Amino acid sequence: LEEFCRQYRDRIGLPFFCKAIPRWVTQERIRLLQQAGLEQIEIGLEANERVNREVFHRRQSDAAFVAAARVLEEAGIVRHYDAILHNPYMTDHDLVCTAEILLSLRKPFSVNYYPLTFFPGTALHERAAEDGIPHAEPDEVRWDKPVAGLPSNYQHFTRVFFLIPFLPAGVLRHFLRHP
């Protein structure tokens, strides 16, 4: 990374954007990348710890994601977080927990919301088929397409999620508690 950053700064010298996984984010790595020109970064929250572990098989704790976000906040990097919604394996509780993680972060930031895509040939695709969850092929996934098995208050929570970057946490917590 040190060599990349040195060469990028010396040969290209332009501001850049990158993607990272939370466990990769450290103060030292971000410092090196900033010196090379890093201005914006995108990292994946995806969902709360339970969903990340049990559905996506990712070893990412909520605390690890928040710690990575804090490093980026302190460095003054423009932050873009990713979250996967439209997921029949998420409960209302999972949606609230995921929202609370985002509400705990310092603004400004943006959030990119993605629908869960069941890619053929993956364990998640097989699981959905075994569980009888109808799912679209990757090129057919759309936000406006209903997905069977979504949490009961999914539409309400989705509206709250889209407001997270813009409204105070206290206001949004009220809406999370009163669907």
Side-chain angles (χ1 to χ4, degrees), residues 22 43-53 58-70 93-94 96-102 104-105:
I43 66 170
L45 166 60
E46 315 318 356
N48 66 317
E49 189 169 333
R50 184 200 72 80
V51 174
N52 284 335
R53 186 182 63 251
R58 295 180 179 171
R59 296 176 318 229
Q60 175 178 295
S61 70
D62 297 343
F65 176 83
V66 171
R70 295 283 184 249
H93 180 73
D94 292 322
V96 170
C97 290
T98 303
E100 284 292 346
I101 295 164
L102 292 168
S104 75
L105 306 178

